[in-house]
Amino acid sequence: MKRSLLSEKIGQWVERNKAASAALASELVRIPSVNHPPYGNEAAYQSFFADRLRSIGAEVSQYELDTVPGLQEHPAYMKGRQYANRPNVHGKFSGTGGGRSLVFSGHADTVYEGVEPWEDGPFSGAIRDGKLFGRGSYDMKGGMAAALEAVRCLQELDIRLGGTVYIESVVDEEHGGANGTLAGRLMGINPDMAIIPEPTNLIPYPAHLGGGIWKAEFSGKSGIGFNGEELISALDATVSFAMLLQKFKKRLNELIQPHPLWSHTDRGIDVVVLTIVSGDTNRELQEKLPADGRLNFWIEGYPGMTDTHILDMLWEFYESELPNFPILAKCRPQVTPLIRYLSGSEMAEGEQTERFLAAVRQAGAIALGQEPGPSQGSPFACDGFMFNLHSPTPALVLGPSGANAHAADEQMDLDSYYKLIRWFAEIMIDWCEAEGE
């Protein structure tokens, strides 16, 4: 069948199945799968996902991470998490032979619902105003639903592929995880290319940022100065360090040459203060200088940057700024990591990557009705480095549009979701080679 006729049939299928596709994404959102490190409650979601894979003809395997040979010994493994009753799920759609292989890889877990009020509730899966609402709708259950629907589309249209397609739903990606993604690689799911349907607003991301979260702890000298003793406010030191971090952000972006895939933005590398805690938080009325302070912060990095490199630059800047923040000479922080450093990474260069990206753009032009936006680097960290740095499979990040990821009223734009379903189906036809095309 001519390529244009295949695309026409796919477009018609997506149009006919909009209600059913939206209902699937909504159902995924309504199953809570919140990550509460070191634990997580992905089990019910993963069971549903496995059943859905079986219903569309997949050969399904489920396994807990503690059973994966070599996982805990791997240098990229992050210790300290518990994996009982938190299975990974893989679905395999075998090709007829001759085509290239592809995996759609996404995480089942979400961040917690937060304390901010939601209009519909965090797990409502409400659909209104052309949007799907709920925790995980945008990050990243909508993208994974699109992969499921794209495969169903080809199955129901009886479009057979030469290459094998996998869909994997992994646990524990949020909060610095990615052990689930590493487990998939060690279990042998290493096809020619990978697509991670994280939210990209329908822009292909062949590279993603890295980053880490650190804790800075301050110990001062508490009390009130009745006898002229020198007191040191840990709160003043903590606030001063927060101000220093904001200055460090500017300095960091002066020191580091922007990566070409981030040249489209003046955002640069971000440095963010996440929390500040000081003093006895159980008492509203305080009558002395606080003796302790704690600050959590996030620093990003381009592909190739390491946590050691980032911290070395931070400490050098710290010493240079002591004249401006004299309390930091008296009250120095103890800095420790709260998560593993999530390495930034990019797809390996070479002919195969170029061919894949060309196929993605060609398929996108059909699905979107116009040329996709230029490839660029993501503004977030993700588990793509487990593919790009620890497997032979390069990973592209490509997903739907939406808003409020990790916040109240998280939402996915449904029109982008329908376009993504078609985009994924068109990619599979070109990359995995539809029979008779």
Side-chain angles (χ1 to χ4, degrees), residues 18-132:
K18 283 183 174 180
S21 296
L24 171 63
S26 176
E27 192 160 10
L28 295 183
V29 171
R30 292 199 303 272
I31 305 173
S33 54
V34 179
N35 195 332
H36 298 286
Y39 305 100
N41 71 334
E42 302 100 330
Y45 176 89
Q46 291 293 70
S47 178
F48 178 91
F49 202 93
D51 288 343
R52 185 70 182 189
L53 283 167
R54 292 187 188 97
S55 75
I56 56 175
E59 176 187 331
V60 176
S61 62
Q62 293 177 254
Y63 59 90
E64 292 192 359
L65 271 59
D66 291 338
T67 68
V68 177
L71 178 63
Q72 295 185 29
E73 295 76 32
H74 196 283
Y77 180 78
M78 184 174 71
K79 298 178 181 179
R81 299 293 175 93
Q82 301 296 319
Y83 289 116
N85 200 31
R86 303 176 70 185
N88 270 5
V89 173
H90 289 106
K92 179 181 180 181
F93 302 87
S94 296
T96 58
R100 293 174 290 266
S101 54
L102 177 66
V103 60
F104 294 94
S105 176
H107 59 85
D109 58 314
T110 71
V111 298
Y112 86 118
E113 53 270 35
V115 296
E116 302 88 352
W118 291 66
E119 183 170 344
D120 301 289
F123 306 111
S124 68
I127 294 174
R128 54 183 170 79
D129 303 324
K131 298 176 178 63
L132 169 65

Side-chain angles (χ1 to χ4, degrees), residues 244-259 266-271 300 302 305 309 313 317 320-321:
L244 182 144
L245 285 171
Q246 292 306 302
K247 294 184 71 174
F248 177 64
K249 174 181 176 179
K250 179 179 179 182
R251 181 60 178 153
L252 185 61
N253 284 286
E254 292 171 349
L255 291 171
I256 302 298
Q257 184 71 22
H259 188 287
D266 58 3
R267 173 181 178 275
I269 299 172
D270 211 357
V271 178
E300 293 174 344
Y302 292 126
M305 293 177 65
H309 184 203
M313 288 188 291
F317 184 74
S320 71
E321 284 292 310

Side-chain angles (χ1 to χ4, degrees), residues 174-410:
E174 298 288 4
H175 308 296
N179 287 339
T181 312
L182 176 61
R185 316 292 63 79
L186 296 179
M187 290 293 286
I189 311 300
N190 295 302
D192 294 314
M193 286 288 161
I195 293 177
I196 300 175
E198 291 272 13
T200 71
N201 304 306
L202 298 178
I203 296 172
Y205 291 162
H208 66 87
L209 288 175
I213 298 176
W214 289 269
K215 175 173 64 175
E217 296 177 285
F218 298 83
S219 294
K221 180 172 174 50
S222 183
I224 57 176
F226 281 169
N227 197 32
E229 62 266 46
E230 182 182 15
L231 305 177
I232 300 175
S233 169
L235 175 57
D236 285 352
T238 306
V239 171
S240 292
F241 188 66
M243 296 169 64
L244 182 144
L245 285 171
Q246 292 306 302
K247 294 184 71 174
F248 177 64
K249 174 181 176 179
K250 179 179 179 182
R251 181 60 178 153
L252 185 61
N253 284 286
E254 292 171 349
L255 291 171
I256 302 298
Q257 184 71 22
H259 188 287
L261 285 171
W262 281 268
S263 61
H264 65 284
T265 176
D266 58 3
R267 173 181 178 275
I269 299 172
D270 211 357
V271 178
V272 179
V273 174
L274 301 171
T275 59
I276 293 179
V277 179
S278 182
D280 185 352
T281 57
N282 295 315
R283 287 174 58 88
E284 182 176 14
L285 181 62
Q286 298 292 321
E287 67 288 327
K288 60 182 178 180
L289 291 182
D292 59 79
R294 187 173 72 252
L295 180 152
N296 294 349
F297 61 99
W298 160 266
I299 301 179
E300 293 174 344
Y302 292 126
M305 293 177 65
T306 66
D307 51 346
T308 300
H309 184 203
I310 289 171
L311 287 180
D312 285 347
M313 288 188 291
L314 174 58
W315 285 122
E316 182 179 349
F317 184 74
Y318 183 99
E319 297 297 333
S320 71
E321 284 292 310
L322 290 180
N324 297 318
F325 300 100
I327 193 169
L328 293 178
K330 300 177 182 180
C331 189
R332 304 177 71 91
Q334 193 75 24
V335 174
T336 54
L338 287 177
I339 63 170
R340 78 152 100 238
Y341 181 74
L342 297 160
S343 299
S345 75
E346 55 188 316
M347 300 178 74
E349 295 183 355
E351 181 182 353
Q352 177 142 295
T353 295
E354 291 177 6
R355 289 178 67 183
F356 179 67
L357 292 177
V360 168
R361 295 194 65 81
Q362 176 180 305
I366 297 170
L368 304 179
Q370 61 185 32
E371 281 293 316
S375 295
Q376 47 189 254
S378 80
F380 52 79
C382 70
D383 58 354
F385 69 99
M386 286 300 187
F387 285 96
N388 294 327
L389 302 181
H390 300 288
S391 89
T393 304
L396 175 73
V397 187
L398 177 63
S401 301
N404 299 338
H406 292 205
D409 295 329
E410 180 179 348

